[in-house]
Amino acid sequence: MCGGTIHTGLLVVSYATYLLLGTIGFWALEKNAEKELKMAVIQMKEAFLQNFTHLTVAEVEQFVKNLTDAVQRGIYPVGNESQTEVSNWDLSNSFFFVGAVVSTIGYGTLCPKTSAGQIFCVFFASFGIPFNIVFLHRVSKMLSLLCERLGRWLYEKGMKKKKIKFLTLLFFLVMGILVFLCLPSFVFQVVEGWSYSEGVYFAFITLSTIGFGDYVVGKQPDRNYPSYYRSLVAIWIIFGLAWIALLFNLLTTLLEDTEKKIAQDLHKMRKAGKDNEENQKRYQPAGFVSAEEPSLLGSGGDAQKTVSLATHLGDAKQGETIFSL
């Protein structure tokens, strides 16, 4: 028990250190380049505002292209030069980006643009993604142990095993939905100004690592966010991934068990059908006489008395042949 606790502690410290090193690396490599790009975009915007009445169609198209490229890089040319002080690559945003990298979410709204930053991202993700999988596996194990302890406690109270299994699964689902979906969605509603349904949508799309990128936290230029906001979101993502991975594992096991049960039932039905066919063939009589056959032997009446003796004997022989089968 003590050895497992020490191992878990070392893993947590190593994982946190790796994320912090990645955060510092991206902050150092990308911050200055982003600031220079922001200044260039602001100058381009000012030049456009001063000369837009004299611009040609080609110049306007080039401006729109540059503006689109700036937005794709995470730079929104709204406001004045004071906007340059707000960086997408400060420590909080860099930590959020690191969490998105190791979790393979990939929103697509923030990515390194310098050559050094891109190369660093390749090496960081190469080791960070397996490291993240190991860490999530450990967290999932801890969640499973909590469910097992709850199950043992209920068993000591005299509860049946089937009911314990159902209650522990229900507890796991309800607590996970509250902590990782419902409460964060309320926070997103307040901080981001989204509707509650949009918050739930973002939470699930993020934790399932789908990451469309249509909703991303901390990216609205008209809102002031706390400096620690995106760092907290990154921590929520990491632990939420462990919960939803365990949830998907349970659902996969449930579906596989259901599929096996259906296959077994179908196999039993086919076997029962074959047994019935064999039983019918085994007990079916070799021959039978129809209900109308005895009338062929003659049943009296004036008309039958006029039949010739030879014909009557022939019919009698045919009747004997039938009964001898």
Side-chain angles (χ1 to χ4, degrees):
M1 184 68 181
C2 184
T5 303
I6 295 174
H7 185 266
T8 301
L10 289 175
L11 179 62
V12 171
V13 172
S14 301
Y15 182 73
T17 302
Y18 189 80
L19 295 183
L20 289 175
L21 290 175
T23 299
I24 295 172
F26 285 112
W27 169 75
L29 293 171
E30 296 293 329
K31 187 176 181 180
N32 292 332
E34 183 207 27
K35 190 173 182 178
E36 293 176 0
L37 182 60
K38 277 190 173 184
M39 293 298 299
V41 170
I42 289 174
Q43 292 174 2
M44 179 189 67
K45 176 186 173 182
E46 291 177 349
F48 174 80
L49 293 176
Q50 292 175 1
N51 304 309
F52 71 93
T53 56
H54 307 290
L55 295 177
T56 63
V57 174
E59 290 173 337
V60 173
E61 289 181 351
Q62 184 63 40
F63 171 78
V64 173
K65 181 180 178 181
N66 294 337
L67 190 64
T68 304
D69 183 63
V71 173
Q72 290 177 347
R73 290 169 177 248
I75 298 173
Y76 300 91
V78 179
N80 51 30
E81 293 184 8
S82 62
Q83 289 269 323
T84 58
E85 298 176 0
V86 181
S87 175
N88 289 322
W89 291 104
D90 58 14
L91 290 177
S92 179
N93 288 325
S94 297
F95 184 77
F96 178 80
F97 173 75
V98 163
V101 169
V102 298
S103 61
T104 68
I105 294 175
Y107 291 115
T109 57
L110 183 64
C111 52
K113 295 301 179 182
T114 64
S115 299
Q118 291 171 349
I119 297 299
F120 179 74
C121 185
V122 170
F123 284 100
F124 178 80
S126 298
F127 294 95
I129 292 173
F131 204 169
N132 185 62
I133 292 173
V134 173
F135 178 77
L136 294 182
H137 179 69
R138 174 66 62 172
V139 175
S140 299
K141 257 188 175 181
M142 294 172 64
L143 293 175
S144 299
L145 288 174
L146 289 176
C147 291
E148 289 179 6
R149 289 180 181 179
L150 176 62
R152 285 197 297 267
W153 182 78
L154 293 174
Y155 183 75
E156 291 173 357
K157 296 296 181 180
M159 196 172 291
K160 295 182 179 179
K161 288 186 177 181
K162 287 186 178 180
K163 193 173 182 180
I164 290 173
K165 187 177 181 180
F166 172 76
L167 289 177
T168 52
L169 180 60
L170 182 64
F171 173 80
F172 174 77
L173 289 175
V174 171
M175 291 302 297
I177 290 172
L178 286 175
V179 174
F180 296 110
L181 291 180
C182 295
L183 292 179
S185 300
F186 176 74
V187 174
F188 299 143
Q189 183 182 16
V190 174
V191 179
E192 299 288 343
W194 300 336
S195 65
Y196 189 76
S197 61
E198 288 174 326
V200 173
Y201 168 78
F202 167 76
F204 181 80
I205 293 299
T206 295
L207 296 184
S208 60
T209 69
I210 297 173
F212 289 126
D214 50 350
Y215 289 87
V216 182
V217 295
K219 297 299 291 182
Q220 300 186 58
D222 58 338
R223 287 185 171 270
N224 294 322
Y225 299 100
S227 59
Y228 53 84
Y229 173 60
R230 298 192 92 189
S231 296
L232 292 178
V233 173
I235 295 173
W236 162 74
I237 289 173
I238 291 171
F239 286 94
L241 285 173
W243 171 76
I244 206 164
L246 187 57
L247 175 62
F248 286 162
N249 187 34
L250 291 173
L251 292 176
T252 301
T253 303
L254 179 63
L255 291 175
E256 288 177 349
D257 292 343
T258 304
E259 187 270 337
K260 288 179 182 178
K261 184 174 177 57
I262 292 174
Q264 289 174 357
D265 292 341
L266 291 175
H267 179 71
K268 289 179 181 178
M269 291 173 62
R270 287 195 298 265
K271 187 177 180 181
K274 289 181 180 179
D275 292 341
N276 290 334
E277 291 179 0
E278 291 178 359
N279 291 333
Q280 289 177 0
K281 291 179 180 179
R282 185 180 301 172
Y283 295 107
Q284 184 176 356
F288 65 92
V289 180
S290 64
E292 297 178 354
E293 290 256 347
S295 63
L296 296 174
L297 299 176
S299 58
D302 295 336
Q304 288 181 347
K305 290 179 180 178
T306 60
V307 179
S308 64
L309 182 59
T311 304
H312 182 75
L313 291 175
D315 291 340
K317 290 181 179 179
Q318 184 178 359
E320 290 176 1
T321 303
I322 291 173
F323 281 104
S324 65
L325 290 175

